[in-house]
Amino acid sequence: MTGAAAPRRRGRPARTGAGEGPGARERILKAARTEFAERGYDKTTVRGIAKAADVDPALVHHYFGTKDEVFAAAIEVSFEPAMVIPEILGQGAEGIGERLARFFIGVWENPATRAPLLAILRSALTHEAAAKVLRSFVLRRLLERIAGDLDVPDPKFRAELAASHMIGIAILRYVIQVEPLASADPEEIVAMVAPTLQRYLTEA
Amino acid sequence: MTGAAAPRRRGRPARTGAGEGPGARERILKAARTEFAERGYDKTTVRGIAKAADVDPALVHHYFGTKDEVFAAAIEVSFEPAMVIPEILGQGAEGIGERLARFFIGVWENPATRAPLLAILRSALTHEAAAKVLRSFVLRRLLERIAGDLDVPDPKFRAELAASHMIGIAILRYVIQVEPLASADPEEIVAMVAPTLQRYLTEA
């Protein structure tokens, strides 16, 4: 989704040579993800992202706009795994709870996908601006896609209840690390949670 | 639980007059709750708490010890509502999911109890020291009490799954504020969540 370089806008300042060129956009996004994950929303600046990406700050503004817009673009990539959820839902109602629970646990078990998601959650919990970006850009679009595939009353409400459970498990298991949940076999969690998701997403 | 003044320890420095006296301990706790809630774990200092409570920092150390120990004492008070959970569980298996769901939503709906819990959650999500205090002091004791009343396999695991769902709902509803969950009638949430808690806490 973010793989293609954006077309250059008219009226952009002339080439400065400050790190511009093919791949600059990708480099900025990568730097933004690292900066937001490591420093948190508050302490991350467009200047800092530009420095880490070895480009001019004007180029960050050119490609993405404000800090909030860089944040939205950076976290969107972290939600890419979630974009397969409609596909999981599309496989039919039978076993949907189990497939979804296993998918979520898999995303959280993988440190490469867990780290940026936890960073986003931390930012959203501590900064209203970050919460707003998550709510208005990413979650809304994702939840709308999921809800569109559900055949239940209040599909968005149901999708949110399912999501809330998986988020809460991630927090207790990976962040606060309460036992025995922190050391439980992923399949044990899937076995308990699957019927819950199944009910939320399929039962009227 | 924290209402009674602690007995004075031997060998404490002589009275300095710096805000000491009846109620100093309570004043320190109250100041600690406010400081941790408003500044977060990281930026709160024993010195800052002492200043807000109008006592000498030595008195804070005397009553509570380290910053972590002040944090534990401060958050313990916020978990007081949770201490009635064993009572809720004691009323028997029938309808336990509904009673518990309604209780949790009630705690989160009340700004006076919600604010300190969210502050604790924020601190635990952003600082390992705070997560450790929450995990080792408060949650462990609370979960042990709850698990002791459950007649299911892995009662602590079950209690944690139930808790994870309620924490996730609180985050999506009150912090990230996704719709329609953010504006849903509390009873609508109770109706959906009650069977989930019922299953976790009572079904083998």
Side-chain angles (χ1 to χ4, degrees):
Chain A
M1 170 180 5
T2 51
R8 297 198 171 180
R9 287 180 195 164
R10 277 167 199 271
R12 195 170 57 78
R15 184 184 176 95
T16 61
E20 209 182 319
R25 192 176 180 282
E26 281 313 297
R27 234 166 42 242
I28 293 168
L29 263 187
K30 195 167 170 237
R33 283 200 296 281
T34 309
E35 292 284 302
F36 281 118
E38 288 179 359
R39 293 174 197 276
Y41 181 83
D42 205 29
K43 288 180 189 152
T44 298
T45 60
V46 166
R47 182 169 295 273
I49 293 169
K51 200 179 165 196
D54 195 22
V55 300
D56 194 279
L59 200 64
V60 179
H61 285 299
H62 164 66
Y63 278 130
F64 299 102
T66 65
K67 171 174 159 181
D68 276 4
E69 288 166 318
V70 187
F71 183 69
I75 70 180
E76 185 141 50
V77 178
S78 303
F79 275 83
E80 258 175 19
M83 294 306 161
V84 311
I85 291 178
E87 209 174 293
I88 295 175
L89 298 179
Q91 291 172 36
E94 206 188 315
I96 202 179
E98 190 180 327
R99 290 199 303 278
L100 211 51
R102 189 168 287 120
F103 167 78
F104 268 121
I105 299 288
V107 167
W108 287 117
E109 282 293 293
N110 180 351
T113 39
R114 174 168 77 223
L117 287 173
L118 285 182
I120 291 163
L121 204 51
R122 286 192 175 103
S123 296
L125 276 167
T126 44
H127 294 93
E128 167 54 19
K132 194 183 166 189
V133 172
L134 184 59
R135 171 174 74 235
S136 350
F137 289 69
V138 187
L139 280 182
R140 190 162 63 188
R141 207 149 26 152
L142 177 63
L143 287 165
E144 265 162 18
R145 286 185 63 179
I146 295 175
D149 276 329
L150 299 179
D151 186 23
V152 287
D154 296 320
K156 277 184 77 179
F157 180 56
R158 301 301 194 91
E160 286 165 5
L161 284 177
S164 75
H165 200 358
M166 302 314 296
I167 288 172
I169 288 175
I171 287 174
L172 282 188
R173 178 171 165 93
Y174 304 104
V175 184
I176 304 181
Q177 299 180 11
V178 288
E179 293 294 357
L181 184 60
S183 310
D185 185 310
E187 281 300 314
E188 247 187 289
I189 303 173
V190 170
M192 284 304 295
V193 169
T196 303
L197 303 190
Q198 183 75 26
R199 186 168 63 82
Y200 289 164
L201 302 180
T202 66
E203 288 179 28
Chain B
M1 167 181 7
T2 51
R8 296 196 172 183
R9 287 181 196 164
R10 276 167 200 270
R12 195 170 58 77
R15 182 184 176 94
T16 61
E20 210 182 322
R25 192 176 179 284
E26 280 313 296
R27 234 169 37 245
I28 292 168
L29 265 185
K30 195 168 170 235
R33 283 199 296 283
T34 309
E35 292 284 302
F36 281 118
E38 287 179 359
R39 293 174 197 278
Y41 180 83
D42 205 29
K43 289 182 189 148
T44 298
T45 61
V46 166
R47 183 169 296 273
I49 293 169
K51 198 178 166 195
D54 195 21
V55 300
D56 194 281
L59 200 65
V60 179
H61 286 299
H62 164 67
Y63 278 130
F64 298 102
T66 65
K67 172 175 158 180
D68 276 4
E69 288 166 317
V70 188
F71 183 69
I75 70 181
E76 185 141 48
V77 178
S78 303
F79 275 84
E80 257 174 17
M83 294 304 161
V84 311
I85 292 178
E87 210 174 291
I88 295 175
L89 299 179
Q91 291 170 38
E94 206 189 313
I96 203 178
E98 188 179 328
R99 290 199 303 278
L100 210 52
R102 187 168 289 121
F103 167 78
F104 268 120
I105 298 289
V107 167
W108 287 118
E109 281 294 293
N110 179 351
T113 39
R114 174 169 75 225
L117 287 173
L118 285 182
I120 292 164
L121 205 52
R122 287 192 173 103
S123 297
L125 277 167
T126 44
H127 294 93
E128 166 53 21
K132 194 181 167 190
V133 171
L134 185 59
R135 171 173 75 235
S136 347
F137 290 70
V138 186
L139 280 183
R140 189 160 65 189
R141 207 146 28 148
L142 177 64
L143 286 165
E144 266 163 18
R145 286 185 64 180
I146 295 175
D149 277 328
L150 298 180
D151 186 22
V152 286
D154 298 319
K156 277 184 76 180
F157 179 57
R158 302 298 194 92
E160 285 164 8
L161 284 178
S164 75
H165 199 359
M166 303 312 299
I167 288 172
I169 287 175
I171 287 173
L172 282 188
R173 178 171 166 92
Y174 304 105
V175 184
I176 304 181
Q177 299 179 14
V178 288
E179 292 296 355
L181 184 59
S183 311
D185 186 311
E187 282 300 314
E188 244 187 292
I189 302 173
V190 169
M192 284 305 294
V193 168
T196 302
L197 302 190
Q198 183 75 26
R199 187 168 62 81
Y200 289 163
L201 301 180
T202 66
E203 287 179 29

